[in-house]
Amino acid sequence: MNKKILVVGAGFSGATIANLFATKLNYDVHIIDKKGHIAGISYDYTDNNGIVIHKYGSHIFHTSNEKVWNFISQFCDFNQYIHKVLVFIDGKYCSLPFNLNSIYQVFNKQKAQIIEEKLYKKYEYNKKISVLDFLNQDDEDLKKLARYVYEKIFLPYSLKQWGFKPDELNCDVCARVPIFISKDDRYFQDKYQGIPKDGYTNLISKMLNYPNIKVSLNCDFKTVRNSLKDYDMIFYTGAIDEYFGYKFGQLPYRSVRLELEEYNQEFYQFNSVINYPCAQKFTRIHEYKYFSNIKINKTVIAKEYPEAFVLGKNNRCYPILKKDNFILYEKYLNEAKAKNNLCFLGRLGDYMYYDMDKAILRAIEVFDSLDI
Ligand code: UDP
């Protein structure tokens, strides 16, 4: 009889580990998800107009990791989409990450030239600086620039997105969107980027489409908890605090609510994603049509409203990377270490703000590190 594993959660982490066990070791894999669909928060679907909707917000695949790229490219082709983001400040739109083009978009030419010169003197071209480090300036003009960027883009956005100021969060969070000493307007500088031509749900479905992988949807871990002895190993990509019955308390998360609007026009806005740090209650507007080449006179947008995660009400989307939460997570991690044949991974299992490529990489590394 083949050996058997249980994988809890059918997002990128679960699908990667499931695929590796099924294809490399010929294990029988049972993958369960409490949602009615696979693909976790990368889930997408095609609406009545033929527009592909990213149900939980825009997902753009990007990686510079060859291992991840080679793995994922087995299952889909990617389109040529290059992600760019605009941010709305005081009635103007400028490039994000805030870069040398952004300066000219928000200041007059004379002022922008002075600032640009000073930035060239201080930093190497293509340098990325976290906004919190960028605030430490000696020069008066650069000091004002740094305050401007902090106060107009990072402070209000973070308050809406997280309910905290940037400096109350782990520095990696804001560093995801640096100040960029460059004229490169791309949101990501990774070697590989794009969107799966047939969508994320189809991609995950291909990862799981093997005779020795069984997928059970609408299947809560609680319902299989009593039959864990049937499995040689368990890979749990759900929330680690939930697994342990919240015995040390709940790990906090941010959730988001996406409100869809449909319009009878070709496009609603002039970029796929526009951020609104100050104006409006939402943080950004996604316009999905930009991700594919569909030519129709209709478009769908999603306004993204961050909100607290409340058990039973909404989804866990982002772990809140703060010192107190790491301390709480460590307690669960210590419990996890004491369990044989049980491995936690993924955004919720590791309490980490993984992008899709990082979730895949973590699952590949877990697989490679096993002594089987
Ligand atoms: N951020 C910000 N202003 C912006 C965009 C991002 O302050 O206009 C900060 C904010 O704290 C956000 C983080 O940078 O949560 C990461 O942004 P990213 O676009 O990577 O978030 P994601 O797409 O993962 O939601």
Side-chain angles (χ1 to χ4, degrees):
M1 236 178 48
N2 284 351
K3 290 198 167 185
K4 216 171 161 186
I5 61 161
L6 173 70
V7 179
V8 181
F12 268 106
S13 305
T16 302
I17 204 87
N19 178 275
L20 292 172
F21 269 86
T23 60
K24 305 263 185 233
L25 300 175
N26 202 30
Y27 271 47
D28 283 339
V29 178
H30 186 198
I31 181 163
I32 63 170
D33 202 297
K34 66 180 169 190
K35 287 195 169 81
H37 61 71
I38 56 169
I41 59 167
S42 330
Y43 174 73
D44 56 13
Y45 63 93
T46 305
D47 76 359
N48 295 338
N49 303 310
I51 301 172
V52 176
I53 308 291
H54 293 185
K55 182 167 180 190
Y56 303 94
S58 298
H59 276 70
I60 292 88
F61 192 85
H62 59 101
T63 192
S64 295
N65 186 292
E66 300 290 337
K67 234 185 199 180
V68 169
W69 182 248
N70 291 338
F71 175 75
I72 208 69
S73 304
Q74 299 173 79
F75 310 105
C76 73
D77 291 327
F78 285 85
N79 68 14
Q80 301 293 310
Y81 176 77
I82 299 285
H83 194 44
K84 292 185 179 177
V85 174
L86 294 175
V87 59
F88 182 74
I89 311 176
D90 296 340
K92 295 173 189 155
Y93 294 90
C94 79
S95 305
L96 193 74
F98 196 90
N99 63 23
L100 299 174
N101 297 327
S102 320
I103 296 169
Y104 285 86
Q105 288 155 345
V106 293
F107 302 122
N108 67 47
K109 194 171 169 194
Q110 198 189 4
K111 190 170 173 192
Q113 277 171 338
I114 294 170
I115 292 172
E116 189 182 10
E117 274 306 305
K118 290 189 173 178
L119 288 171
Y120 278 136
K121 272 198 189 128
K122 180 156 181 188
Y123 298 104
E124 268 178 36
Y125 193 76
N126 272 343
K127 172 105 180 142
K128 290 179 174 172
I129 312 129
S130 149
V131 70
L132 295 174
D133 293 336
F134 195 66
L135 283 170
N136 301 317
Q137 300 291 346
D138 301 324
D139 177 89
E140 271 314 306
D141 285 328
L142 294 190
K143 209 179 262 178
K144 275 190 204 148
L145 171 71
R147 293 287 337 154
Y148 178 87
V149 174
Y150 179 77
E151 279 161 19
K152 300 281 183 188
I153 301 179
F154 288 90
L155 178 63
Y157 190 100
S158 295
L159 286 171
K160 264 197 270 186
Q161 167 67 15
W162 301 103
F164 295 106
K165 291 184 187 167
D167 54 341
E168 293 175 287
L169 293 158
N170 182 284
C171 53
D172 292 345
V173 176
C174 277
R176 288 171 60 90
V177 185
I179 312 302
F180 193 21
I181 310 300
S182 173
K183 297 203 169 173
D184 178 352
D185 281 334
R186 293 172 305 163
Y187 203 58
F188 307 111
Q189 278 69 44
D190 285 303
K191 182 168 173 191
Y192 305 109
Q193 50 186 299
I195 292 180
K197 278 187 181 160
D198 297 319
Y200 288 99
T201 309
N202 183 65
L203 158 59
I204 301 270
S205 157
K206 290 222 165 106
M207 291 168 79
L208 299 177
N209 190 18
Y210 292 83
N212 52 337
I213 301 183
K214 178 181 160 196
V215 182
S216 302
L217 297 178
N218 298 305
C219 178
D220 200 298
F221 178 63
K222 287 185 202 106
T223 62
V224 295
R225 204 161 190 153
N226 291 331
S227 45
L228 297 185
K229 57 182 180 332
D230 297 349
Y231 300 98
D232 294 285
M233 283 198 79
I234 291 121
F235 294 90
Y236 191 92
T237 73
I240 191 168
D241 53 343
E242 185 171 345
Y243 181 92
F244 289 109
Y246 307 108
K247 64 195 279 190
F248 304 118
Q250 271 192 47
L251 281 166
Y253 283 87
R254 274 316 252 184
S255 187
V256 292
R257 191 178 80 248
L258 285 137
E259 293 189 357
L260 296 186
E261 293 173 15
E262 192 178 309
Y263 291 89
N264 291 321
Q265 60 198 63
E266 197 182 359
F267 285 105
Y268 175 87
Q269 59 189 21
F270 45 89
N271 199 56
S272 59
V273 176
I274 301 186
N275 289 8
Y276 291 84
C278 297
Q280 314 292 356
K281 287 212 166 82
F282 46 80
T283 44
R284 47 191 172 183
I285 299 182
H286 309 256
E287 186 164 12
Y288 295 117
K289 255 179 94 179
Y290 282 99
F291 298 149
S292 60
N293 278 328
I294 183 165
K295 305 239 177 312
I296 48 166
N297 221 26
K298 273 191 192 285
T299 190
V300 173
I301 61 153
K303 292 180 174 165
E304 179 174 334
Y305 295 87
E307 54 189 26
F309 162 70
V310 180
L311 201 57
K313 182 188 153 210
N314 49 17
N315 290 292
R316 295 175 174 93
C317 293
Y318 299 92
I320 303 180
L321 305 190
K322 287 189 72 192
K323 200 172 163 213
D324 292 352
N325 302 345
F326 286 131
I327 294 171
L328 182 54
Y329 165 69
E330 286 289 327
K331 291 188 185 173
Y332 286 113
L333 186 62
N334 282 335
E335 293 282 301
K337 280 180 186 155
K339 298 259 178 201
N340 285 330
N341 301 335
L342 171 65
C343 175
F344 289 88
L345 65 162
R347 250 191 203 207
L348 312 183
D350 289 335
Y351 202 63
M352 288 281 282
Y353 188 170
Y354 291 136
D355 287 334
M356 290 178 280
D357 65 325
K358 298 295 182 311
I360 294 166
L361 183 62
R362 161 82 169 134
I364 293 174
E365 285 174 351
V366 164
F367 180 78
D368 287 347
S369 69
L370 293 171
D371 193 16
I372 307 178

